[in-house]
Amino acid sequence: MDTTLYLIRRVLQALVVILIVTVIVFCLLHALPGGPARGILGPQATAQQIAAFNHEQGLYRPLPVQYAHYLHTLLRGDLGTSYTLNEAVSRLIEQRLPKTLVLTVLSALLGLLLAIPLGMWQAVRRNRPVDYVITTLSFVAYATPVYFLGLVLVLVFTQVLDWFPSQAPQGETLADVFAQPNALVLPVVAGAASMVAVFSRYMRAATLENLQEDYVRTARAGGSRPGAILRRHVLRNSLTPVVAMLGYYVPVLFGGALVVEQLFNYPGMGLLFWSAAQSSDYPVLLGCVLVISVATVIGTLLADVVQRLIDPRTKAGRT
C-alpha cells in the first residue's frame, strides 16, 4: 500500500513538473525577438504576413487563452511546423528521436558496464597505486570536452589506425543505423567516456560505504568469501545511489548526444537541434527542448521507482 501511494505521488509530481515545463516553453516562444510571428516566419516576413499569422494562430487572444490552446495542441502531438524544412516538428522528432535513444542507451549501457566493476575494483584496492591511477584518469576523462575527445578518437581510429569510419551510421530508419555497427563504435565510446568517469566515482564511494556496514562484517565472520560478499551483498546496495543519479544524468546524455551527433554527422535529435540553431528554426528548437525536458522528468521518475524497488529500506515518507 505504501509503495502504491508513493508511486501515485511521484507520478503526480512528474505531471506537475511537465506542466511547468510547458509553461516555460510557452513563455520562451513569446519571448522570441519580435514576437512569435517574427521568430517563426523569419526576418523577411512582411507586416501583412505577420498579421495573418497572428490571426491564424490566435496570437491576438489573451495569454491564458493562448496557453490553453497551446496545451491542447501539445496533447494532440502538434509541436508546430519547421519553417526551414516545411515539415511538422513532431514528424521530424519522430524520425530522429529513436536514433538518439539508440545512441544514448548504448552509451549509457557501455558506461555502466565499465563504471560499476571499475568503481568496485577501486574500492577494494583503496589507496593503492592502481586506485590513484584510475582516479586520475577519471578526472582527466571528466574534464575533457566531448568534442575534443571525439576529435581524438577520429584522428586515432580513422586516420592513424583506420579501424572505424569517421562518419556515424546514415539512413532514415533504425535498420540503417544497425546495419552499420562499425560506424556506431566511435560515437558510443565518445558518449560513454564521461559517464564512466562520473559513475565509477559514485560506485567507488558507495562500495566503500557499504564495506563498513555491519552486514559485511557479519558475512565475513560467517566465513563468506570476499568475492561472494561483493556480488551478493555489496553490489546491490551500492547500486542505489548510482541508479538515483542515472535519472538526473538524462539531460547530460542528451547534451552529449548533441555534440557527438554533430561531430560524427549522426542523424539524430542532436544534429536536428544543431541545424535548427544554425538556421534559427525556433519551432524545432522549442520542440526539442520540450521533448528533452519531458524525457528528463520521466527518467528521474523511473530512477526513483527503480531505486525504491532495489532498496527495500527506502521509505516513501523520506523520499
Side-chain angles (χ1 to χ4, degrees):
M1 186 62 181
D2 289 342
T3 301
T4 302
L5 292 176
Y6 169 75
L7 293 178
I8 292 174
R9 190 176 76 245
R10 287 295 293 114
V11 169
L12 291 176
Q13 290 173 350
L15 292 176
V16 171
V17 173
I18 291 175
L19 189 63
I20 294 173
V21 168
T22 64
V23 173
I24 295 174
V25 173
F26 176 78
C27 293
L28 288 175
L29 179 63
H30 283 266
L32 295 177
R38 177 66 66 185
I40 293 175
L41 296 179
Q44 304 301 322
T46 64
Q48 291 79 6
Q49 290 173 328
I50 292 177
F53 180 87
N54 287 336
H55 185 272
E56 180 183 351
Q57 299 296 323
L59 296 177
Y60 59 89
R61 300 171 181 171
L63 285 179
V65 177
Q66 291 185 45
Y67 174 72
H69 176 72
Y70 172 72
L71 200 59
H72 177 67
T73 58
L74 288 182
L75 292 175
R76 291 191 290 109
D78 184 2
L79 297 176
T81 302
S82 167
Y83 64 78
T84 58
L85 301 175
N86 196 28
E87 192 172 351
V89 175
S90 57
R91 175 62 178 164
L92 292 171
I93 293 178
E94 181 183 344
Q95 293 172 346
R96 304 295 187 94
L97 182 58
K99 299 171 189 175
T100 296
L101 289 177
V102 168
L103 178 62
T104 53
V105 168
L106 289 178
S107 298
L109 287 177
L110 177 62
L112 290 176
L113 287 175
L114 293 176
I116 291 173
L118 189 62
M120 295 189 70
W121 191 44
Q122 283 186 263
V124 173
R125 290 160 177 78
R126 180 186 183 186
N127 295 331
R128 297 183 184 179
V130 67
D131 182 29
Y132 294 132
V133 170
I134 295 176
T135 297
T136 302
L137 293 176
S138 296
F139 283 131
V140 171
Y142 180 72
T144 302
V146 177
Y147 69 85
F148 179 77
L149 176 62
L151 289 174
V152 171
L153 291 175
V154 169
L155 178 64
V156 173
F157 292 100
T158 69
Q159 304 298 318
V160 178
L161 299 177
D162 194 23
W163 288 357
F164 305 104
S166 60
Q167 185 171 260
Q170 302 297 303
E172 295 296 327
T173 65
L174 281 179
D176 296 323
V177 173
F178 287 114
Q180 307 168 60
N182 281 352
L184 268 176
V185 173
L186 293 184
V188 169
V189 171
S194 63
M195 190 170 186
V196 174
V198 173
F199 281 84
S200 64
R201 301 300 300 163
Y202 277 106
M203 195 65 190
R204 177 184 181 276
T207 302
L208 286 174
E209 180 180 349
N210 280 278
L211 285 174
Q212 308 302 319
E213 296 290 339
D214 291 338
Y215 70 86
V216 173
R217 299 190 185 95
T218 302
R220 286 172 178 167
S224 297
R225 293 179 297 176
I229 295 174
L230 287 173
R231 290 192 302 271
R232 298 175 186 175
H233 305 289
V234 176
L235 176 59
R236 179 175 178 179
N237 291 324
S238 299
L239 283 176
T240 301
V242 174
V243 171
M245 281 301 301
L246 188 59
Y248 298 104
Y249 208 74
V250 171
V252 180
L253 288 173
F254 275 102
L258 189 154
V259 178
V260 170
E261 290 180 13
Q262 192 276 334
L263 181 62
F264 291 96
N265 195 32
Y266 183 81
M269 270 191 64
L271 188 58
L272 175 67
F273 186 90
W274 178 271
S275 301
Q278 295 292 99
S279 59
S280 299
D281 196 342
Y282 295 110
V284 174
L285 289 173
L286 294 178
C288 291
V289 168
L290 181 63
V291 170
I292 293 173
S293 300
V294 171
T296 301
V297 173
I298 294 175
T300 304
L301 173 63
L302 292 177
D304 288 346
V305 172
V306 173
Q307 180 185 7
R308 183 174 177 82
L309 292 177
I310 68 175
D311 188 1
R313 299 170 301 175
T314 306
K315 301 299 182 182
R318 296 184 301 181
T319 305

